[in-house]
Amino acid sequence: PPVLVGESETFLDDARTHGALMLAGWGLFLPSGAIIAKFGKHSPNAIWYKAHRMIQLVGAIFATVGFAFANTKFDAYSQKGFDAYIHACLGTTV
């Protein structure tokens, strides 16, 4: 379907917001929490575990908000055969 100019800018803003939330969650916080768990568990105090749990929680929140944002802003499931549909299905599976 044709996209109007105003809708195009809104779509790009929404796509950037979704991408930033997912990048922060899946690309920054969740891997950082896993790295802290891997290399911090040999330290004598348990601060690594508290940091790991907090960072993992923040990462999960970012990813969940990004997922909910995408589900409310985009209608990717109705576009069968297009990249948006495949992206939505893979994102839901993960």
Side-chain angles (χ1 to χ4, degrees):
V3 178
L4 300 176
V5 175
E7 291 178 4
S8 170
E9 292 173 11
T10 302
F11 173 80
L12 286 176
D13 289 342
D14 291 345
R16 287 183 184 121
T17 301
H18 166 67
L21 288 166
M22 291 306 221
L23 182 64
W26 286 104
L28 177 67
F29 288 110
L30 291 172
S32 297
I35 289 169
I36 287 173
K38 176 158 179 63
F39 296 109
K41 63 184 170 187
H42 304 294
S43 63
N45 58 10
I47 189 106
W48 70 269
Y49 185 68
K50 293 175 184 172
H52 161 73
R53 280 188 0 196
M54 184 58 64
I55 292 171
Q56 292 296 100
L57 177 63
V58 170
I61 289 170
F62 268 86
T64 302
V65 171
F67 178 76
F69 183 84
N71 279 334
T72 59
K73 294 291 185 177
F74 307 118
D75 188 23
Y77 296 107
S78 67
Q79 302 174 11
K80 294 194 184 325
F82 292 102
D83 291 340
Y85 175 75
I86 294 168
H87 179 90
C89 291
L90 290 175
T92 302
T93 303
V94 171

